[in-house]
Amino acid sequence: MPSKFKEIFSVVLPCFLSLGLLAWLFITIDYKHIWLAVKGSDMRYMSAAGIIFFFINFLIIWRWRILMKAVGLKAKTLSSLRWYFIGSFCNLAPISTVGSDVIRGLGIAQELGSKPKVFASIVLDRLSGFAGIVILAVVAFLFGHGIIMNKLVIVAIVAMSVISGAIVIVLFSHRIFSFACKAFAAWPKIKDNLMRLHFDIVLLKGKQKRGWEAIFISIGAQIVLAVEFYLAAKGMHQNVPLVYFIIFSPIVCVVTSLPSIGGLGFREIGWVYLLPLVGVSKEMAGGLSLINSAFTIINGLLGGLIYVTTLPSGRIQYTQADPSLQGSSS
């Protein structure tokens, strides 16, 4: 695929999916009913939900910093905060051809000068986050399986468990990872960078305590996110037990990682499908998801503000970073 076409495709696809799914949502559900559901919200609950949503950022940054230390990186706290929020901003923009992980990785690597270790910490961060999502979803479902027996929910949780296990095996098994890297034999530089990334990830083998700390923080962050949804639902006068959000939230989080504008569209479809299973109307579910999309956008805009106000001291030099980036993030 030509590079120019690939760049255009990477911009168009997220826009097409997000806008297409939102269009389908508003065709299926009367947007006036969604607006009425949002308009009648209790701002006390919504304010509390917004504050909790913002707090989750710091749990994720804390997890990332633990894993950076585990692979031998010593990043400043303010730098970690700054690049994390800038990455969140870039994740909103379909005009960006790189994701939030790549942006924060480039930013920290520019300061520390160790790209493979930085990107290893980000891979481990994502992996521990996914592990936390899977563990919480499985445990919550085991407690709540008597009240939710929807086949799609069961399939989603089983699929997440299998995928999580497979990723761990591939990343931490030298034999399997080396075999997989043979596919890049024609591109020795990419293959070499992938192997360096693998060796840095394997550093965590002797530091299981750090890995478990990251996973427990991930579980905590997911529980806090479920509480945030619970409060937002209370703000919309919906009395939905917290356990349902603990079961559903991990599934929606995985879905929103698909190509989109900050998860927009996929988040709405996910909640509009799941919440009616427990008696919430589609209009209320759509309104709840749009409120949380608004939280995500505000969070990203904060990152944009941080980027603009600190631009002179932190501009990313793409011409220097691209070669290693292509190898480390492929």
Side-chain angles (χ1 to χ4, degrees):
M1 183 183 293
S3 58
K4 189 67 176 178
F5 178 77
K6 188 175 181 181
E7 289 180 8
I8 295 173
F9 181 76
S10 66
V11 172
V12 172
L13 180 62
C15 289
F16 176 78
L17 290 175
S18 286
L19 297 178
L21 288 172
L22 284 177
W24 181 85
L25 177 69
F26 289 128
I27 290 172
T28 306
I29 306 171
D30 190 341
Y31 73 91
K32 293 180 181 178
H33 292 163
I34 295 178
W35 170 244
L36 288 174
V38 174
K39 188 179 178 181
S41 300
D42 187 328
M43 292 308 298
R44 293 172 299 175
Y45 282 107
M46 289 303 174
S47 298
I51 292 170
I52 290 174
F53 185 91
F54 181 69
F55 171 73
I56 294 171
N57 290 305
F58 297 96
L59 290 177
I60 297 172
I61 294 167
W62 180 24
R63 180 184 70 196
W64 183 30
R65 285 185 57 75
I66 286 174
L67 294 169
M68 280 196 284
K69 290 178 182 177
V71 297
L73 293 172
K74 295 181 179 179
K76 295 178 181 178
T77 302
L78 287 178
S79 292
S80 304
L81 287 166
R82 177 174 181 268
W83 286 111
Y84 170 83
F85 279 106
I86 291 174
S88 297
F89 169 66
C90 293
N91 210 36
L92 296 178
I95 57 172
S96 173
T97 56
V98 287
S100 62
D101 289 340
V102 176
I103 289 295
R104 61 171 165 148
L106 276 175
I108 291 293
Q110 184 175 267
E111 296 178 10
L112 301 180
S114 182
K115 292 186 182 69
K117 286 184 183 292
V118 169
F119 282 98
S121 75
I122 291 174
V123 171
L124 289 169
D125 180 57
R126 283 294 186 181
L127 184 61
S128 63
F130 192 61
I133 285 174
V134 172
I135 291 171
L136 182 62
V138 170
V139 172
F141 185 76
L142 289 176
F143 281 98
H145 73 282
I147 47 180
I148 299 178
M149 287 303 294
N150 183 271
K151 290 183 179 180
L152 185 58
V153 174
I154 297 173
V155 169
I157 292 174
V158 171
M160 288 193 301
S161 302
V162 172
I163 292 171
S164 179
I167 292 173
V168 169
I169 292 171
V170 171
L171 287 178
F172 285 92
S173 171
H174 180 69
R175 181 180 298 178
I176 296 175
F177 196 90
S178 299
F179 178 78
C181 281
K182 288 182 179 179
F184 297 93
W187 303 278
K189 191 169 183 179
I190 293 177
K191 182 180 178 182
D192 180 60
N193 279 321
L194 285 173
M195 289 307 300
R196 287 169 62 191
L197 178 69
H198 166 66
F199 291 134
D200 286 324
I201 289 173
V202 171
L203 287 174
L204 197 64
K205 272 190 173 180
K207 300 175 182 177
Q208 289 89 343
K209 183 181 177 181
R210 296 288 190 185
W212 282 111
E213 285 176 359
I215 290 173
F216 283 128
I217 291 172
S218 299
I219 293 172
Q222 281 299 315
I223 292 174
V224 173
L225 180 62
V227 171
E228 180 267 315
F229 272 103
Y230 171 77
L231 289 174
K234 290 285 285 184
M236 296 180 70
H237 314 290
Q238 301 297 298
N239 294 313
V240 182
L242 179 61
V243 66
Y244 292 125
F245 290 106
I246 294 176
I247 295 171
F248 294 154
S249 182
I251 298 173
V252 176
C253 279
V254 173
V255 171
T256 54
S257 65
L258 295 171
S260 58
I261 305 173
L264 192 65
F266 285 104
R267 183 183 298 104
E268 284 65 35
I269 296 299
W271 285 114
V272 166
Y273 175 80
L274 292 170
L275 284 178
L277 298 177
V278 293
V280 178
S281 70
K282 290 184 177 181
E283 289 78 12
M284 285 293 179
L288 177 64
S289 60
L290 286 172
I291 286 172
N292 279 269
S293 290
F295 289 159
T296 301
I297 292 170
I298 293 170
N299 197 66
L301 292 176
L302 175 62
L305 179 63
I306 291 172
Y307 178 64
V308 170
T309 55
T310 59
L311 183 61
S313 62
R315 189 188 300 269
I316 297 177
Q317 301 298 325
Y318 289 98
T319 54
Q320 298 175 9
D322 276 350
S324 294
L325 169 62
Q326 291 173 1
S328 298
S329 62
S330 297

